[in-house]
Amino acid sequence: LHIAILASILSLSIYWIIRDRYRVRNLNGKHVFITGCDTGLGNALAKWLDKKGFCVIAACATEKGSQELRCCSSLSLKTVNLNLADSNSIAKAVVFVTEQTAGKGLFGLVSTAEGTAPVGPTDWLRIEDFRSVLDVSLLGLIEITLKLLPLLKKAEGRVVNLINSKGLMAFVGGGYSLSKWGMEAFSDTLRIEMQHFGVKVSILEHGFFKAEEVNSDIIEKYLFKLWNRLTPEIRDSYGEKYLVE
């Protein structure tokens, strides 16, 4: 019994020693750039890392989001407006991050932003419905990552891509699941390539949150919008009961 207790204590001690080796220290001066900080996970993460002592650069899609975040954060937290579907907006944000890091490099890039989610039966959709999601959730993410890689390599930083696990279940048409699978593939490839430079690339698959209840209402409204723009032929092939059920 005594041997078992000692073994347990030893195992626990080893666990704590190993865990502490991976804890980030000397947080002052370490810059973390986070996308999608108006609300949700990005907003909460920006506030949490700010309290921990990181130099947070929070990207928001709206000026209102930026102002609200600055009001409840320390003076070290900086915000920048960012539209991931616009290359000019991405370029301006990269310049801002470069200026803020002042030659130190970027310790972390966390991508939480998501495009709008027009989802529905595939033949209800148009190509622009796919682009509206992919331009933000996949292509925008790739573009800003590529442009920030020199700063990440300089600091031997890390890339963290947050992926909603529901997007990995392809049970409905649209660009949402396509963007999530694309993020997985992009992250896996980048992880292998960046090992040589000491840059870590991680995927964090998260679950459902209370805030997503609002998204369900948005999706339902969009379904009715899609239904109303369908041609009579497609609408007749599904029938009125399909939308209700």
Side-chain angles (χ1 to χ4, degrees), residues 33-147:
F33 180 61
I34 310 170
T35 67
C37 293
D38 294 81
T39 58
L41 284 175
N43 184 277
L45 181 62
K47 293 174 182 176
W48 186 75
L49 291 180
D50 178 53
K51 290 179 180 178
K52 288 289 183 180
F54 284 97
C55 297
V56 176
I57 307 172
C60 297
T62 65
E63 184 58 36
K64 178 183 177 183
S66 295
Q67 291 177 355
E68 290 179 351
L69 183 56
R70 288 196 300 267
C71 285
C72 55
S73 305
S74 74
L75 294 176
S76 67
L77 183 143
K78 307 297 180 183
T79 62
V80 59
N81 289 346
L82 175 63
N83 177 6
L84 283 171
D86 182 356
S87 292
N88 290 328
S89 179
I90 290 173
K92 290 178 181 178
V94 171
V95 170
F96 183 80
V97 173
T98 303
E99 292 172 349
Q100 291 297 314
T101 53
K104 298 178 182 177
L106 184 62
F107 180 75
L109 166 61
V110 184
S111 295
T112 72
E114 293 188 331
T116 55
V119 295
T122 300
D123 60 347
W124 292 21
L125 302 170
R126 300 169 182 170
I127 192 63
E128 53 264 29
D129 296 321
F130 287 86
R131 288 196 181 107
S132 67
V133 178
L134 296 176
D135 283 349
V136 173
S137 297
L138 182 58
L139 298 178
L141 174 143
I142 292 173
E143 183 174 357
I144 199 161
T145 302
L146 293 176
K147 290 185 175 179

